[in-house]
Amino acid sequence: MRILLVEDEPDAARMLAKGLREQTYAVDIASDGEAGEYRASVNEYDLIILDLMLPRKNGFAVCREIRAAGSCVPILMLTARDAVQDRIAGLDTGADDYLTKPFEFHELLARMRALLRRGQALRSEIIEIADLVVDTRKRIVKRNNRPIEMTAKEYALIEYFARRAGEVIGRADISEHVWDESFDPFSNVIEVYVQRLRRKLDAGHALKLIRTRRGEGYVLTAGSEEAGE
Ligand code: CA
């Protein structure tokens, strides 16, 4: 899941991004409203955390313009003031939820999870594909009831595959949703991570879940329509 964090206070932005990356989110930071709006227009984010008080363009204006551009990306607004008018105005300009600063990091995570779920038609937090279980709340992956240890990035990739099980996922999709803007499109990092996931998830199992579609990408499936590699 790739997040855009629009926050002008450098320390707050750094701390928040660090915490979110530890939770396996890919995070881009924009430090003013115009930069935030620009990034939102060129990248496909899964969620935007938008501070209200921003230089150049405030959160209301950014939110309004993101919606005017036709995007329905979930937007969580951060307001420093506990003013009812700000919250109402935020929701009216197209924000999906808000948090009043200062907030507990765990409350932010819970609200983010709720917003991310909304886009997926009430899909369960626990995704099962054959004997593979991905618990997106606890960030636990099991195959055949055995927990599999994963780094944050490996987990982010398998969660992304699991959420789109059965669909062909191309490199561009993966780089957009699992990596942040520091991703180098000419590197082979995606292939390296997919190989690692295969070793961890599929090695020793007759049923290979991660399939390659030549020239198209990857599919996570328990279906038997195509032999794995
Ligand atoms: Ca601010």
Side-chain angles (χ1 to χ4, degrees):
M1 295 284 125
R2 185 173 177 188
I3 310 296
L4 174 63
L5 172 61
V6 191
E7 165 65 84
D8 58 309
E9 290 144 53
D11 289 345
R14 250 197 312 273
M15 287 288 293
L16 209 49
K18 181 172 181 288
L20 291 172
R21 285 176 184 136
E22 284 168 4
Q23 298 291 318
T24 75
Y25 293 108
V27 183
D28 294 339
I29 299 173
S31 56
D32 66 62
E34 280 181 7
E37 192 192 321
Y38 173 72
R39 281 190 172 73
S41 71
V42 295
N43 297 313
E44 198 182 310
Y45 292 102
D46 297 292
L47 185 140
I48 297 175
I49 300 172
L50 179 61
D51 190 28
L52 174 57
M53 304 297 285
L54 291 167
R56 287 168 173 269
K57 193 175 264 187
N58 72 24
F60 295 139
V62 174
C63 195
R64 206 176 295 120
E65 292 183 30
I66 289 172
R67 292 301 181 229
S71 167
C72 4
V73 59
I75 298 176
L76 177 63
M77 204 173 260
L78 303 179
T79 152
R81 291 171 288 172
D82 195 12
V84 176
Q85 298 95 297
D86 279 354
R87 295 185 225 156
I88 295 171
L91 296 170
D92 279 346
T93 53
D96 298 280
D97 198 2
Y98 62 84
L99 260 180
T100 304
K101 287 180 176 178
F103 51 83
E104 288 289 328
F105 185 60
H106 283 97
E107 182 176 3
L108 173 73
L109 292 177
R111 285 175 188 265
M112 287 172 65
R113 284 197 302 268
L115 288 175
L116 289 168
R117 264 203 310 279
R118 240 182 249 177
Q120 304 167 17
L122 303 174
R123 193 179 284 181
S124 161
E125 292 187 314
I126 296 173
I127 304 165
E128 295 184 39
I129 298 123
D131 59 354
L132 174 72
V133 176
V134 180
D135 184 331
T136 62
R137 191 170 144 78
K138 295 181 183 156
R139 296 183 194 283
I140 293 171
V141 178
K142 291 181 185 175
R143 184 129 197 226
N144 197 17
N145 279 324
R146 281 181 44 197
I148 299 165
E149 275 199 41
M150 298 217 164
T151 65
K153 202 48 124 187
E154 289 164 0
Y155 173 81
L157 185 56
I158 192 63
E159 182 186 312
Y160 183 64
F161 279 158
R163 286 185 187 278
R164 297 184 55 185
E167 294 175 40
V168 179
I169 299 171
R171 280 183 103 247
D173 297 321
I174 297 172
S175 65
E176 279 269 332
H177 292 274
V178 183
W179 269 268
D180 61 25
E181 61 194 357
S182 63
F183 178 76
D184 171 6
F186 300 109
S187 79
N188 67 342
V189 66
I190 289 176
E191 289 75 8
V192 168
Y193 271 90
V194 171
Q195 282 312 317
R196 282 193 210 161
L197 282 185
R198 285 198 161 119
R199 273 202 299 276
K200 291 191 173 188
L201 293 179
D202 281 344
H205 293 270
L207 176 63
K208 309 296 184 198
L209 297 173
I210 302 172
R211 319 281 173 83
T212 300
R213 295 275 175 90
R214 284 256 172 263
E216 292 183 86
Y218 305 100
V219 189
L220 179 68
T221 177
S224 57
E225 83 280 15
E226 199 163 311
E229 288 182 40

